[in-house]
Every structure is written in structure tokens, then in C-alpha cells.
Amino acid sequence: MKIAIIGSGYVGLVSGVCLADIGHQVICVDNNPEKIKTLKKGKLPIYEPGLLELMKANVKKKRLSFTGSIGDATKQSQVIFLAVPTPPKPNGDADLTYIENVSRQIAQHMDSYKLIVEKSTVPAETGKKVRRTIHLNLPKKYKSGSKIMLDFDVASNPEFLKEGSAVHDFMNPDRIVIGVESPKAEKLLKEIYKPLKTKVLVTNIASAEMIKHASNSFLAAKISFINAVAQICDRIGADVLKVAEGMGLDKRIGRQFLDAGVGYGGSCFPKDVDAFIRLSERSGYDFALLKEVRGINDNQRQWFVRLIEEKLWNIKDKTIGVLGLAFKPNTDDIRNAAAFEIIQLLIAEGAKIRAYDPKAMDNARKVLKGVTFCPNAYGVAEGCDCLLLLTEWPEFKDLDFLQIRDAMAQAVIFDGRNAFDAAHLREIGFDYHGVGRGKSL
């Protein structure tokens, strides 16, 4: 099938490459000329495990191409996925300007039946607005009063990709959700995803849009819940790892997303929680639970800094090492990363920050000022009064901690992801502090 993906960010690029890999003819579109130039050179503007090799293979097979022209992509494709950014406005609403602009351009270049599919995370009823925008902007030759003489469909197909494992998630989905208005749109989308053997849930468009918001908000709620539990564990001497394990053994609850730490970040959870709160308010419902989920997450970083201050007494003029800057491992994405807020809070208290991340250093240098970036973890530890783990990259678990200890001014570790072996670090002389591990443990 001939497919266009408009927007070549994390979602669009992964979706486009993977759709090409399962046999479709895909054109990835972006309005950033530098990004298109990079892609045409066989390079990626992002880091995502396994994506580069897959992209090169499908370009070689001539199933994948890149362009900056929405018009050309529209004319050459039957199905057009919208994967453009929907960033939050100051009030929490999703900014749908890109969705509207792209819908308008698609309409102006349509000359045959098209299926326009929302892939971006959008609030409920966006599908109606996309349909209306296309309707209003079709060329005059396809309109006679209120009558439209060019058939098209709008659908919703939310993505459930996790950065760092996005290729695997696309190829091995738990489910595929399609929100449609016609049998034709349903048939086309089912045909596209036929190679992926999984459950296909067919709904109306509003339900598909809601499924994405509800799913991400529920996962954010699990994270905030276990972080609240972690604070209690610290106060009473319980170990949140054992608490989470005990909870997770209940099949009704499950262990996933019960990992206490310094809070969730990234481009999805914070934005989607805010957007769902705003959507609820506009519908007349006060989603107080989600507001508390957001509040707990915001507080978690400040609480972590207070723990550091409690141990170091004064933060001013202390040298603090930071391991991990990306919002999660296996990505270079720094959007809403917990590390950034914690670093900024520490700098505001007068701390000197040394930092390292395996993949996110270039992105971090563009926005983090007053930080000394080091070539590796050992450089970060040099002369530090304490070391913070803020992104649980696998390589950090394999460090020579005796060398780390000897390089530090004080052998103090704050494990913001509960990733290290606390007993081993204490045995070799570290003053170890996890999240919710109980101060007496």
C-alpha cells in the first residue's frame, strides 16, 4: 500500500520505517530541510536502537523515501498518517496548530480518495475538526455548495511506542487500535497492519483518541502511586522494591510501572496527563485524581533534592556528579527529563554540576548551562561530594565502583532509579541512598 507519514519525529520515523519493513511503500515527510537532508544521507536525527539498520535496509529496497513536500506525498499516497507534534500550551491544552496546517495542505493537494489517519496524540473530537478542515479547504472543483464530490475518510490510530524499544513495540504490539467512520477505512487499516499478528480493536474515532489518553494517564498514575508509597517507605523503614514486588505478584496489578524513582518525564506522559485534565474540564468533569498524579510527580524531584541537602548539609559550593541526562535509557531524548529539573534546582542552590550521558550529551549541551560535561562516568566522579544516578543506563551498573569511590571527595551515592546493588556499595564503603529504600536499610 502507498503510505505517507507526515512528521518525521520519533513516532513518524519509527512508524514509517516499520511500515516499510512489513511491505508497504512509504514516504516520510518533514518540514525541516536539514532533517530531510540527514535522512537522505542515511543518518538519523534521533537515537533509537535498531532503527538505523532498518531504515537503511528499506531505503535500499526502495520501499522508503523522504521528502519535504506534503503535496507530492499526498498525491502519491492513498493513506496519510499525521504524526506531527502536538505540544502543550501554557494551560495544558494540546496545541493542534500543526494538525490543522497539515490537514489544510492535504486538502489542497487531494485529487482522489484519501484516508487521513491521526497518529499524533490528540484530544477527543480532533477527528471531527480534521474532517471539517479538509472539507473547507478542498479545491473548488470538488465542491458544489455543501456537497463534496471527492471521497475521503478520517481515522484515528494511536501509537503505543516506548522510546528505547520503539521498533520492537511496533513490530510486537499488545494491540492495534483503529477508530473509523466507514467500512472502507476499517478495511484499509486492517490491511496495512495484517502482517502484525495481534488483536485489532475497532472503535469510533473519539473512543480511539480517548484510549491513548486514558492509557498513558493510567501508567503515569501507577508511577506516581509507587513514588508516594516510596516516601512512606523511607519514613517507616520499609523497602519499596519489596513492596512493589509483592504488589506486582498480584495479577490484577502487575509489576510494570511500579518503579519508584525521581518521577516520569519524556514527551508523552507529562503532556498527555495535562491534556487529559484539560479535556476533562472542558467536558464538565474535574479529574482531581490526575491532578494529584501530576502533583506527586512534580514534588518527587524537589523531595529528592531535599534528601541530598539533608545529607550534604549545605549544597552551595558542593560538587555533584550526575549520571544520566536522557529521560529514560536507550534514547537521546531530554524532553521533560527529571535530570534537568534536579540539576537546575541544585544549581539554584549554588552546586557545581558534572554530568555524563551515553547518548544525550549533544542535546543536553544545547540547553543546560553552567554544567561541566565529562567524557565518561569516571570523569564525573572526580572530586565529587556525591553522585546521582538519574537515568538507569545499563552501562552504569557495570562501573568499577572502587575506582569511582577513590575518585570522589565523599563516597556518597543517591540512586534516583534504585538500579544499583545497595548492599554491595555499602560493603565497599559508599554511603548509599535509594528512593523509598528505608533509611534504616
Side-chain angles (χ1 to χ4, degrees):
M1 199 167 293
K2 292 184 177 180
I3 296 171
I5 308 280
I6 301 181
S8 296
Y10 279 92
V11 172
L13 201 50
V14 171
S15 299
V17 169
C18 290
L19 285 169
D21 199 60
I22 62 174
H24 301 294
Q25 197 76 30
V26 180
I27 304 172
C28 287
V29 187
D30 204 273
N31 64 355
N32 184 334
E34 288 303 313
K35 183 183 288 185
I36 293 298
K37 191 183 297 183
T38 297
L39 291 167
K40 285 184 175 181
K41 288 179 180 178
K43 299 178 181 179
L44 285 177
I46 59 173
Y47 173 74
E48 182 63 40
L51 186 61
L52 181 60
E53 297 79 7
L54 215 56
M55 182 185 79
K56 288 181 176 179
N58 283 283
V59 168
K60 190 175 182 179
K61 293 174 184 175
K62 300 191 183 302
R63 290 202 296 243
L64 180 65
S65 60
F66 308 98
T67 182
S69 172
I70 291 177
D72 290 347
T74 298
K75 289 173 182 175
Q76 294 176 45
S77 306
Q78 183 178 19
V79 182
I80 303 164
F81 286 87
L82 309 185
V84 296
T86 54
K89 294 180 180 178
N91 67 356
D93 278 335
D95 185 345
L96 302 178
T97 306
Y98 296 109
I99 294 281
E100 181 183 13
N101 290 343
V102 167
S103 299
R104 186 183 299 117
Q105 291 182 65
I106 290 170
Q108 292 166 352
H109 291 94
M110 282 171 54
D111 55 7
S112 60
Y113 171 85
K114 307 292 177 185
L115 171 58
I116 298 93
V117 186
E118 301 168 346
K119 198 70 173 169
S120 305
T121 301
V122 294
E125 300 190 322
T126 300
K128 292 180 182 178
K129 294 171 182 175
V130 169
R131 169 170 283 283
R132 182 174 181 275
T133 300
I134 293 173
H135 189 143
L136 291 173
N137 288 278
L138 283 171
K140 289 183 180 179
K141 62 182 178 180
Y142 297 124
K143 294 191 289 188
S144 177
S146 61
K147 186 178 180 181
I148 297 295
M149 294 172 287
L150 183 62
D151 191 22
F152 70 92
D153 273 310
V154 174
S156 175
N157 173 220
E159 54 84 18
F160 302 100
L161 307 177
K162 300 185 296 292
E163 289 184 35
S165 62
V167 172
H168 177 271
D169 292 346
F170 189 100
M171 296 300 195
N172 304 275
D174 293 329
R175 78 288 201 199
I176 292 168
V177 177
I178 56 174
V180 295
E181 297 175 316
S182 75
K184 186 174 184 178
E186 178 181 341
K187 183 179 178 182
L188 279 171
L189 282 168
K190 282 184 173 178
E191 186 65 27
I192 285 173
Y193 288 113
K194 190 175 180 180
L196 304 178
K197 308 298 183 185
T198 191
K199 166 76 175 177
V200 177
L201 177 64
V202 182
T203 72
N204 62 19
I205 292 178
S207 296
E209 292 167 338
M210 277 289 288
I211 286 168
K212 174 60 186 237
H213 278 297
S215 296
N216 275 1
S217 295
F218 185 77
L219 294 176
K222 285 189 76 172
I223 295 170
S224 283
F225 180 86
I226 201 63
N227 278 333
V229 169
Q231 292 207 28
I232 300 169
C233 286
D234 252 356
R235 289 165 169 80
I236 68 170
D239 186 346
V240 76
L241 292 184
K242 291 298 182 182
V243 174
E245 182 181 0
M247 291 173 62
L249 289 171
D250 187 328
K251 294 177 182 177
R252 298 168 302 173
I253 298 173
R255 180 63 179 81
Q256 284 189 303
F257 289 87
L258 289 179
D259 293 310
V262 288
Y264 60 76
S267 62
C268 293
F269 283 8
K271 174 174 70 72
D272 292 352
V273 168
D274 285 348
F276 204 8
I277 289 170
R278 288 289 296 155
L279 173 64
S280 303
E281 289 172 345
R282 289 198 306 275
S283 74
Y285 179 73
D286 180 11
F287 211 149
L289 174 62
L290 272 190
K291 292 177 181 177
E292 191 61 26
V293 166
R294 180 175 62 188
I296 291 170
N297 196 64
D298 292 344
N299 175 67
Q300 195 71 3
R301 288 86 184 268
Q302 297 164 18
W303 172 75
F304 190 71
V305 170
R306 288 197 298 272
L307 291 181
I308 297 167
E309 188 170 22
E310 184 181 303
K311 180 62 189 178
L312 297 185
W313 189 19
N314 292 304
I315 289 178
K316 186 178 180 182
D317 295 328
K318 295 291 195 306
T319 300
I320 297 176
V322 173
L323 298 179
L325 298 168
F327 87 92
K328 63 180 290 188
N330 295 318
T331 180
D332 61 352
D333 195 347
I334 58 174
R335 289 175 290 180
N336 295 304
F340 277 58
E341 184 177 345
I342 289 168
I343 287 171
Q344 286 161 352
L345 288 170
L346 292 170
I347 288 175
E349 292 291 325
K352 301 170 185 175
I353 304 296
R354 300 169 65 81
Y356 168 73
D357 187 283
K359 295 294 180 181
M361 297 280 274
D362 289 342
N363 289 338
R365 282 190 180 96
K366 297 172 186 175
V367 292
L368 267 182
K369 306 304 177 187
V371 172
T372 300
F373 293 98
C374 302
N376 53 47
Y378 301 103
V380 168
E382 193 68 41
C384 280
D385 292 288
C386 75
L387 194 62
L388 316 181
L389 177 73
L390 299 181
T391 313
E392 64 277 32
W393 285 91
E395 70 177 62
F396 293 151
K397 295 181 183 180
D398 298 325
L399 292 171
D400 181 343
F401 282 100
L402 290 174
Q403 184 179 339
I404 294 285
R405 181 199 64 190
D406 293 344
M408 296 177 69
Q410 299 183 61
V412 180
I413 282 186
F414 284 88
D415 183 356
R417 298 297 181 182
N418 289 338
F420 293 147
D421 183 337
H424 171 67
L425 291 181
R426 285 174 177 147
E427 185 181 335
I428 63 173
F430 277 97
D431 186 357
Y432 172 90
H433 302 270
V435 175
R437 304 302 306 277
K439 293 184 180 179
S440 63
L441 296 175

